[in-house]
Amino acid sequence: MVRNLGIGTGRRKTAVARVYIREGNGKITVNGKDVNDYFATAEQVQVVKQPLMVTASDSKYDIVITVVGGGLNGQAGACLHGISRALTQVDEANHSSLHANGYLTRDSRMVERKKYGQRGARRRFQFSKR
C-alpha cells in the first residue's frame, strides 16, 4: 500500500493541482506522465521543481500530481503552490524557506471578467459620433 506523507492543493489562475508526496527517489508524475513529458518547456518544469530545490529534497520523495484547468503555465504555477504546501505538511521546518521565496502565497492574478456593453473586460465598442 502506498502511503502519502503530505497532501497539498495548489491553485493558479483557473488551474487546480492536487499533490501527493510519497517516499521515493525524486520521480515527479503529472496526470500519469513524467513531468518532462507533460510540460512543454524546460522553464515550466523548472517552476514545478523550485520548491524541491529550495528545501534540498529533490531526491527524497516521489511526487504524484493531478492537475486540471487552465493552460500549462497556470498548471505549472498550481503545481509549485501544491508541492510547497505538501512539503510544509511533511516537515514544518520547510515553512520558513518556502515562505521566504513566496511559494506558499497563492498567485491571485486572474483574467478579469467581460462586462456587458463592452467588447472585452475594458475594451469598449468603437464609438461613432455620426
Side-chain angles (χ1 to χ4, degrees):
M1 190 183 126
V2 180
R3 202 170 138 268
N4 294 326
L5 299 174
I7 300 171
T9 305
R11 293 184 184 89
R12 169 80 176 94
K13 291 188 175 181
T14 56
V16 180
R18 286 183 306 203
V19 178
Y20 305 97
I21 292 187
R22 301 170 177 169
E23 288 289 342
N25 52 4
K27 190 166 177 261
I28 302 175
T29 311
V30 183
N31 289 356
K33 293 183 180 178
D34 184 62
V35 69
N36 297 310
D37 298 334
Y38 186 82
F39 288 108
T41 64
E43 286 79 29
Q44 292 167 343
V45 175
Q46 189 65 35
V47 166
V48 172
K49 292 182 177 178
Q50 277 175 342
L52 297 168
M53 301 296 181
V54 168
T55 57
S57 54
D58 42 349
S59 59
K60 281 188 198 170
Y61 309 112
D62 281 349
I63 298 175
V64 178
I65 304 171
T66 310
V67 63
V68 291
L72 288 179
N73 278 325
Q75 288 186 351
C79 291
L80 173 134
H81 189 221
I83 291 171
S84 301
R85 281 180 156 186
L87 282 171
T88 303
Q89 205 176 56
V90 169
D91 185 9
E92 199 61 41
N94 293 331
H95 184 274
S96 58
S97 59
L98 291 168
H99 185 74
N101 285 295
Y103 297 153
L104 292 172
T105 307
R106 187 220 193 278
D107 193 343
S108 60
R109 293 176 295 170
M110 289 184 96
V111 177
E112 192 175 332
R113 80 174 190 88
K114 183 196 170 297
K115 283 33 164 233
Y116 58 87
Q118 295 184 19
R119 210 174 77 182
R122 299 187 178 199
R123 177 83 167 93
R124 311 296 210 273
F125 290 118
Q126 185 170 338
F127 176 71
S128 171
K129 198 166 188 177
R130 284 183 246 327

